[in-house]
Amino acid sequence: MIKAHRHGLSGRAVVFASLLCLALGTALLAWQAQAQQGGRSALVMTVDGPIGPAIDDYFQRGLERAAESDAELVVVRLDTPGGLDASMRSMISAMLAAEVPVAFYVSPAGARAASAGTYLLYASHVAAMAPATHLGSATPVQLGGGGLPGLGDNQPPDDDADEGASKEGSGAESADEAEPGKRRGDTAMERKVLEDAVAYIRSLAERHERNADWAEAAVREAVNLGARQALEKNVVDAIADDLDDLLARIDGREVVMADGTRTLATAELTLERFDPDWRTELLAVITNPNVAYLLMIIGFYGLVFELMNPGALVPGTVGAVSLLLALFAFQVLPINYAGLGLILLGLGLILGEALMPSFGILGIGGIVAFVMGSVMLMDAESLSISLPMIGGVALLAAGLMLWVVIRFLALRRRPPRTGQDELVGCRARVEADFTDSGHVRLKGERWKARSARPLSRGQAVRVTAVDGLVLEVEPLGSVSN
């Protein structure tokens, strides 16, 4: 009986151990699956404002980060009135060559993807909008805000104009005659800009099989669409209330990548935020078209005023710094060259403060230029500079400038050592008694002197003023023997 009981306990123990091992194995497999699922992520970026060099730099850094972390998708929340053509094209080129699919999502409600934003939507692998948003108005405009001359008042040409154009125009003009409602500009330059924009956005639409005809209308006629109409006209791929809804709607969708088609697997992705940092925000303020235009004006007139008034220093210093910032904002200079130029300018101005004291003008301008240039190079490729290094060098330069200013202010307070001003305060001795005027000996020289009080021979006097070759004196002590 005892032996049987022991065998029964042993059997139950084996069964219990087997069940425990099975449960642990199941839990381990579930944990591994959850870990693998948790490792799949989507990088979420935010573009809120005009498209410029700062946004271009931020966007490309985001693509690099997504590729390094093996993200499944990059989602860009977009709300923009437009921006610079060069920055927009740079972003599109980076997006078309990206290893990770990019979804542009116009949100929140009330946001827009106007002008350059429309091109970015057409270039993205997934174009989505939130309810109560819109896109369009993609006609090229001048920096000042006006449309290209001739685009605003273009009317459908009459029969005579069509006939003349068919005789004199090119093939592009003949194509316009076939569709007389198209705007095409009045001059060759206007037509070149407009037709280039039309061809560009149509090529983007055809790549992702979106509505190319509406895209052309957005460029030629500056038309707009709301979210619902954009989905109906095959301008965007989805309407989503939020990011989770967006990921659910585009799951399983095929997109065109640089190396072929890819099927998205976006269900239950972990969202990783990559918001603009303080550096991007600062550069975005500088590259705002309105601020950039103002910097260009200040830079131009600052240099003009400095040339008209050499040695003024303030307009020249402000003008040089503003002009370099404006050239960066307009993408005339890339971010690394603009940053390096500002650093060299800053060091030159700080050195100028030491060699040619301006009581802080050159020094302050140099520190501002140095710090701005260093900030630009903080994340520039192969030219990264750390923030502590920037702060340390800036504080060192500020300390040097402060020492120079204090030193020269102290020198200004010292009494003169040459010229007539040096004589004021010096002691002299009366050569002979006189009541109104007479002579005194000063530093071995005989000077004519005047005094409001009678003076005696040998009396010590102090010089109070110099009037030409006459000294104004006053008595200091008693007569000496």
Side-chain angles (χ1 to χ4, degrees), residues 421-442:
D421 292 337
E422 179 201 5
L423 302 178
V424 177
C426 292
R427 293 189 177 189
R429 195 165 295 278
V430 180
E431 288 193 331
D433 298 347
F434 67 87
T435 301
D436 184 31
S437 63
H439 292 86
V440 298
R441 184 160 295 276
L442 174 65

Side-chain angles (χ1 to χ4, degrees), residues 30-352:
W31 177 81
Q32 289 178 344
Q34 185 177 3
Q36 292 176 355
Q37 182 69 22
R40 299 174 60 250
S41 63
L43 187 70
V44 180
M45 305 174 65
T46 302
V47 174
D48 185 4
I51 304 298
I55 298 300
D56 177 21
D57 175 67
Y58 162 65
F59 177 71
Q60 299 205 34
R61 285 190 291 118
L63 293 183
E64 293 173 1
R65 177 168 176 171
E68 292 172 359
S69 61
D70 293 326
E72 296 289 333
L73 181 70
V74 174
V75 180
V76 182
R77 301 183 63 181
L78 180 66
D79 182 9
T80 179
L84 297 179
D85 177 78
S87 300
M88 174 199 74
R89 289 178 182 256
S90 176
M91 293 174 66
I92 290 176
S93 297
M95 180 163 38
L96 295 180
E99 300 176 6
V100 181
V102 180
F104 269 84
Y105 176 42
V106 186
S107 69
R112 57 178 170 168
S115 193
T118 301
Y119 291 83
L120 290 171
L121 269 181
Y122 265 90
S124 62
H125 304 101
V126 176
M129 302 176 71
T133 58
H134 69 277
L135 80 163
S137 297
T139 305
V141 296
Q142 296 174 341
L143 184 62
L148 291 172
L151 293 181
D153 298 323
N154 253 349
Q155 299 295 333
D158 55 26
D159 294 339
D160 294 336
D162 287 345
E163 182 178 355
S166 65
K167 293 179 181 178
E168 302 175 4
S170 64
E173 292 175 322
S174 299
D176 284 340
E177 292 165 19
E179 298 180 69
K182 285 186 178 180
R183 297 184 178 182
R184 55 190 177 91
D186 292 336
T187 67
M189 179 56 69
E190 295 160 13
R191 287 194 293 272
K192 286 174 66 176
V193 173
L194 189 61
E195 296 301 330
D196 175 71
V198 168
Y200 190 54
I201 200 169
R202 286 193 71 96
S203 67
L204 297 175
E206 292 166 359
R207 177 185 177 92
H208 297 292
E209 297 183 354
R210 298 192 180 113
N211 192 331
D213 293 333
W214 186 88
E216 179 174 351
V219 175
R220 293 189 184 276
E221 307 295 333
V223 295
N224 289 263
L225 279 180
R228 184 62 56 188
Q229 293 80 12
L231 182 62
E232 293 172 354
K233 292 181 177 292
N234 190 32
V235 173
V236 298
D237 305 316
I239 297 178
D241 296 325
D242 52 34
L243 290 175
D244 292 332
D245 186 27
L246 173 64
L247 295 180
R249 290 180 180 275
I250 64 176
D251 185 40
R253 183 179 183 84
E254 280 196 354
V255 295
V256 179
M257 303 294 294
D259 55 356
T261 60
R262 185 182 304 181
T263 301
L264 299 179
T266 59
E268 300 181 2
L269 289 181
T270 302
L271 298 180
E272 177 188 352
R273 301 282 179 176
F274 181 54
D275 293 325
D277 54 11
W278 66 268
R279 171 182 175 270
T280 300
E281 297 286 357
L282 176 62
L283 296 182
V285 172
I286 296 173
T287 56
N288 184 290
N290 296 317
V291 177
Y293 184 73
L294 182 62
L295 287 173
M296 180 65 76
I297 296 297
I298 293 174
F300 174 76
Y301 282 107
L303 295 181
V304 169
F305 290 153
E306 182 66 31
L307 292 175
M308 294 173 61
N309 302 276
L313 298 181
V314 174
T317 302
V318 175
V321 175
S322 299
L323 191 60
L324 276 176
L325 290 175
L327 292 176
F328 156 69
F330 291 134
Q331 283 198 313
V332 177
L333 290 176
I335 188 169
N336 51 348
Y337 289 146
L340 187 60
L342 282 168
I343 288 178
L344 294 178
L345 175 64
L347 293 177
L349 292 175
I350 293 172
L351 181 61

Side-chain angles (χ1 to χ4, degrees), residues 390-464:
I390 296 172
V393 175
L395 288 176
L396 180 63
L400 175 63
M401 183 196 71
L402 182 62
W403 178 83
V404 170
V405 171
I406 292 175
R407 179 69 176 167
F408 280 95
L409 286 176
L411 290 176
R412 290 195 65 184
R413 288 194 294 268
R414 295 179 60 178
R417 297 196 175 185
T418 59
Q420 290 186 343
D421 292 337
E422 179 201 5
L423 302 178
V424 177
C426 292
R427 293 189 177 189
R429 195 165 295 278
V430 180
E431 288 193 331
D433 298 347
F434 67 87
T435 301
D436 184 31
S437 63
H439 292 86
V440 298
R441 184 160 295 276
L442 174 65
K443 294 185 177 182
E445 298 176 341
R446 189 170 184 263
W447 286 80
K448 186 175 181 179
R450 289 196 300 263
S451 174
R453 298 171 58 183
L455 300 175
S456 302
R457 181 177 180 274
Q459 184 176 1
V461 294
R462 183 174 66 88
V463 179
T464 59

